[in-house]
Amino acid sequence: MTVVEEPTQARTGTYLYGVVAAGRLAAGVFDGARSVDGEHAVRLVPAGDVAAIVSDVPLSEFDEDVLPARLNDLAWLEDAARAHEEVLERALGQTGVVPFRFCTIYRSEDDLLRFVVERADDLCRVLDGVEGRIELGVKGLVARDVLEGALRSHVGAEESGPAEGSGRAYLLRRREDRRLAEESMRFLADCATAATARLERAAVAASLIPVRPPERDAAETMFLNAAYLVAAGDESLAREAEALAAEYEPFGIRFELTGPWPPYNFVPRDVLQP
Amino acid sequence: VSSRELDSRGGGPAQLPDVLERILDKGIVVAGDIQINLLDIELLTVKLRLLIASADKAREMGIDWWEGDAFLSRRHEPHGLDERLRRLEEAAGLPTANGDSE
């Protein structure tokens, strides 16, 4: 028996960016939007009370056997990731969005619709919770040398010790360095605790993201990475972050606000799972 | 270092790492028919290339607070260094870090 397969190039899957409530997006909201494959148009597929934001993708690029290699291609990844995000941001400008994860792909639009319809109740519940709301990110960054310098001057100048160059002097210096390192860890822990408490009060909900490792040769290290759900247009979280930045500036600490984001960190994982 | 920098991006592009850490969900695609475990295929290597180049170096320095779920979950690993320092301190007649007071 011979099975004649269509050439891979011709086959497409359906890529799911996110879900919105039915009837909320203006016609043309995705006109000119770049899709994850850069070719197929982004479109809205109604499914009862909700609508799915989708585009077709060639399985020659997005199927299981080729996707891993693509994902390790940084240029490809960046284009596709930014396209995913920008499509969702267009929707976010008009209504609440349940963002789906990067590369959520169905083999056909029917399969995708079956999933969305099965999940409609959960999706509607989440949409109610995020309607009129956006995610903001706050990153806490520290220049450790500045912090240690500030703490050193608070603690007082080092006492005059044994002659420079002696083993004893070396050990004393090592101990002082270690003490400063521990001191700055404690300071950062306190700072992170205080900052998150204050930021949380200015938000509907909060979620902590794992802190990222230091970049090579970066002057700053991240010590806090958090996401907040806030009402669109509410400036109080931004103001609180600004106040924190001003207070902690002398210690080499900076707070960076990012967003608005689709509420990636505020969609329960089980809603996205098959 | 300028102080009150609050980079709300206001139309400008987001930083790629900020985008990736949101859309990747810990590296696993959780829905859809195309199932790949990004950790298996080391998508993380992509993130790593972007972000972690110096992780080992930082870990050597005892900076490892990005590990684990909570922020600042710094472990006191049996590094050997602390122990060695303590022995040297004892040998030099200095009070050890554990026993001393200001």
Side-chain angles (χ1 to χ4, degrees):
Chain A
M1 184 169 83
T2 316
V3 178
V4 180
E5 275 201 48
E6 287 178 76
T8 319
Q9 269 74 1
R11 291 164 46 226
T12 58
T14 311
Y15 185 107
L16 177 59
Y17 299 82
V19 170
V20 295
R24 294 289 177 80
L25 291 181
V29 58
F30 298 120
D31 285 357
R34 197 161 51 92
S35 57
V36 286
D37 75 329
E39 304 234 337
H40 294 84
V42 179
R43 57 202 169 84
L44 201 60
V45 180
D49 292 337
V50 299
I53 304 166
V54 309
S55 71
D56 295 333
V57 288
L59 289 178
S60 58
E61 258 185 286
F62 286 85
D63 211 343
E64 286 164 353
D65 51 344
V66 280
L67 196 50
R70 292 294 187 163
L71 291 167
N72 276 306
D73 173 349
L74 189 53
W76 185 94
L77 176 72
E78 172 155 15
D79 283 352
R82 288 196 183 283
H84 179 101
E85 166 65 15
E86 282 159 23
V87 164
L88 289 173
E89 282 181 17
R90 285 194 184 218
L92 187 68
Q94 300 190 356
T95 187
V97 180
V98 174
F100 274 69
R101 301 300 177 188
F102 189 54
C103 290
T104 301
I105 304 158
Y106 291 82
R107 294 204 177 273
S108 73
E109 195 171 302
D110 286 346
D111 291 337
L112 183 147
L113 279 174
R114 198 172 307 124
F115 170 76
V116 171
V117 169
E118 266 171 26
R119 274 301 144 82
D121 289 350
D122 288 341
L123 290 167
C124 285
R125 193 163 30 77
V126 177
L127 281 168
D128 283 345
V130 299
E131 183 54 44
R133 292 170 173 167
I134 52 159
E135 176 177 323
L136 293 177
V138 178
K139 293 181 285 185
L141 303 157
V142 58
R144 293 174 59 86
D145 52 340
V146 178
L147 174 59
E148 291 190 4
L151 292 177
R152 182 177 282 123
S153 61
H154 272 229
V155 166
E158 52 265 51
E159 331 86 61
S160 56
E164 195 57 36
S166 74
R168 238 178 106 87
Y170 168 77
L171 287 171
L172 277 174
R173 207 165 50 243
R174 278 296 309 267
R175 271 187 47 203
E176 174 66 11
D177 289 350
R178 197 178 52 185
R179 203 168 57 84
L180 268 176
E182 281 167 7
E183 196 84 13
S184 47
M185 280 295 181
R186 266 196 299 276
F187 188 90
L188 287 174
D190 291 347
C191 171
T193 307
T196 47
R198 283 166 58 175
L199 292 165
E200 263 175 58
R201 279 199 290 276
V204 177
S207 173
L208 290 174
I209 305 170
V211 171
R212 293 205 294 262
E215 295 171 52
R216 184 188 294 280
D217 298 331
E220 293 176 309
T221 311
M222 187 187 290
F223 68 97
L224 172 68
N225 199 8
Y228 297 94
L229 189 68
V230 303
D234 182 353
E235 298 289 320
S236 44
L237 188 97
R239 276 199 305 272
E240 192 62 62
E242 231 166 78
L244 284 164
E247 282 170 44
Y248 283 98
E249 191 268 335
F251 298 96
I253 288 172
R254 207 159 60 83
F255 292 91
E256 200 178 292
L257 191 68
T258 66
W261 301 98
Y264 290 110
N265 287 292
F266 299 96
V267 179
R269 195 155 298 154
D270 56 1
V271 173
L272 304 177
Q273 250 150 13
Chain B
V1 185
S2 78
S3 54
R4 324 185 70 212
E5 246 175 81
L6 279 168
D7 298 328
S8 188
R9 71 179 183 280
Q15 291 175 22
L16 185 60
D18 292 336
V19 176
L20 289 181
E21 78 185 355
R22 284 182 163 77
I23 71 177
L24 291 178
D25 187 43
K26 302 190 199 314
I28 299 171
V29 175
V30 291
D33 297 332
I34 310 290
Q35 292 280 333
I36 51 170
N37 183 336
L38 300 181
L39 286 176
D40 283 351
I41 61 115
E42 294 185 84
L43 175 75
L44 268 188
T45 58
V46 173
K47 280 183 102 173
L48 298 188
R49 242 180 279 155
L50 289 170
L51 310 164
I52 310 185
S54 63
D56 285 343
K57 191 170 155 245
R59 211 172 276 121
E60 273 170 33
M61 294 156 51
I63 305 168
D64 60 355
W65 56 38
W66 63 87
E67 290 182 345
D69 280 329
F71 59 94
L72 288 175
S73 62
R74 181 175 184 246
R75 290 171 320 207
H76 291 277
E77 69 284 77
H79 211 263
L81 252 185
D82 280 355
E83 187 50 44
R84 196 142 40 102
L85 185 59
R86 193 165 303 123
R87 279 205 305 276
L88 283 168
E89 283 171 342
E90 275 167 10
L94 291 167
T96 59
N98 283 345
D100 68 356
S101 52
E102 340 295 73

